[in-house]
Amino acid sequence: MKELQNLKSLEDFLQRLGAAAGESETNRNLADYFATHYLEIPFMTAGEVAAEAKVSQASVSRFCMSLGFHGYSDLLRELQKLVREDITAPKRLRYATRGNQDDYEEILANEQLNIAGLREVAEQDAFRRLADKLATAPRVVLLSARMSATLLPYMTYVLNKMRDGVEEVLPHTPAWNSLPLRDPAGTQIVTIAFPRYPNILLSHVERLHDAGFSIAAVTDRVVSPVTQFADPVITVPVTTSSIFDVYGAPIVLLNLLLLETAKRIPGIEERLNRVETLEQGEHIYWNF
């Protein structure tokens, strides 16, 4: 299969549209539609694009292949990455709530593709290195802000069952302000940063990096602004074709990462047994 040609920038996308436009009248129509509606297309099915551009759905697929993609779904994923920062919540609400059941199918199909790609992510050296750090660092600080921070409680809850010395730190808390005063030698920072990247998080990560802290990151792409301050970096795509980004693939990735971390913690079975005994003694969970 021909290698997928990832989009590098909006300029790259527009140049490809211009090159493909000269191949036929159908391509000219599609190139004009894509250039004018590239912010809306991440929320549209191939059939909807075909109807709006007044061409066949097969023509849309062939056009996407002429741009360097395997088909419409591949172009959609690349375009979502490209325009994610420009699509505000009000714009998403307007584009994503058209009342069409195909909208749901598009979101589910994108998320299935994202999850299917996690096998490759989990086989990367960065994935194994981060699992090592989560298992062995004296202290682990999980750092994030705004919507990206909604993933922290899950990771914090599981890690605290597996080991000691795990802390979740968010903006506007005493720990956030005092974090740069800690000893960098014994602290591993792990930040989660997805679009729209919060400036308060990026500036704090930069300060911690300059102070000598070891920082690892989970983000959505290699050009994410947090990557310049972090090593290792794990990238996982998120689906944009809804009112807010879909974190299905990131949560699955975190589960795989925590599983890999557990394999590296000596005595993990004994600790989990102790946790279970404690919870049963305190009647934490409802029983039949």
Side-chain angles (χ1 to χ4, degrees):
M1 180 179 289
K2 185 178 179 181
E3 184 178 355
L4 175 67
Q5 300 298 310
N6 301 89
L7 288 175
K8 300 179 179 62
S9 64
L10 180 58
E11 182 181 1
D12 175 28
F13 181 55
L14 295 176
Q15 287 176 349
R16 295 194 202 185
L17 292 177
E23 297 178 8
S24 68
E25 183 177 353
T26 297
N27 276 15
R28 281 195 298 274
N29 291 339
L30 283 167
D32 180 65
Y33 187 83
F34 273 71
T36 306
H37 300 88
Y38 63 88
L39 287 178
E40 301 172 40
I41 288 172
F43 302 91
M44 299 175 68
T45 66
E48 289 170 335
V49 171
E52 291 292 326
K54 297 179 173 56
V55 301
S56 69
Q57 189 166 330
S59 295
V60 174
S61 297
R62 287 193 295 269
F63 180 71
C64 293
M65 294 175 68
S66 72
L67 296 176
F69 304 97
H70 299 151
Y72 183 74
S73 294
D74 288 322
L75 180 143
L76 204 63
R77 295 179 72 199
E78 286 297 304
L79 194 56
Q80 286 175 356
K81 297 176 189 176
L82 192 64
V83 305
R84 187 174 291 136
E85 288 301 293
D86 296 321
I87 307 178
T88 61
K91 289 180 181 178
R92 292 187 186 209
L93 181 62
R94 185 167 68 252
Y95 298 148
T97 55
R98 299 187 302 272
N100 190 334
Q101 288 296 324
D102 287 343
D103 298 340
Y104 307 152
E105 295 303 321
E106 195 66 43
I107 293 170
L108 294 172
N110 286 340
E111 201 60 19
Q112 287 171 351
L113 286 172
N114 290 343
I115 291 173
L118 295 183
R119 164 65 71 178
E120 182 178 345
V121 177
E123 292 174 350
Q124 295 173 359
D125 179 64
F127 182 87
R128 293 187 288 270
R129 288 169 57 209
L130 180 50
D132 286 338
K133 290 178 180 292
L134 289 174
T136 62
R139 291 182 301 279
V140 174
V141 173
L142 305 177
L143 190 76
S144 193
R146 300 189 73 83
M147 186 168 172
S148 299
T150 61
L151 295 168
L152 289 193
Y154 173 77
M155 196 172 181
T156 304
Y157 178 83
V158 176
L159 274 175
N160 269 294
K161 286 200 169 192
M162 292 163 49
R163 54 157 294 170
D164 296 327
V166 179
E167 181 182 4
E168 174 184 326
V169 176
L170 300 173
H172 312 301
T173 63
W176 178 277
N177 295 325
S178 64
L179 190 54
L181 303 177
R182 301 188 190 184
D183 177 18
T187 304
Q188 174 64 52
I189 307 290
V190 180
T191 186
I192 298 179
F194 291 114
R196 303 162 69 191
Y197 311 105
N199 283 322
I200 191 172
L201 175 62
L202 298 176
S203 60
H204 204 52
V205 168
E206 182 177 8
R207 283 194 294 271
L208 294 169
H209 172 268
D210 293 344
F213 284 87
S214 173
I215 301 171
V218 179
T219 189
D220 67 310
R221 48 187 168 173
V222 294
V223 294
S224 163
V226 77
T227 59
Q228 60 186 309
F229 309 118
D231 181 46
V233 174
I234 299 177
T235 60
V236 53
V238 296
T239 294
T240 303
S241 53
S242 185
I243 298 177
F244 296 98
D245 286 345
V246 182
Y247 283 173
I251 201 73
V252 174
L253 177 72
L254 291 180
N255 186 279
L256 297 178
L257 180 62
L258 292 166
L259 172 61
E260 197 64 27
T261 300
K263 297 176 183 178
R264 289 163 162 75
I265 298 178
I268 183 67
E269 184 175 357
E270 179 185 354
R271 180 180 174 93
L272 293 180
N273 282 332
R274 290 169 55 200
V275 169
E276 182 64 24
T277 300
L278 177 64
E279 291 177 342
Q280 288 183 2
E282 296 182 357
H283 306 288
I284 299 295
Y285 302 112
W286 181 79
N287 290 318
F288 285 98

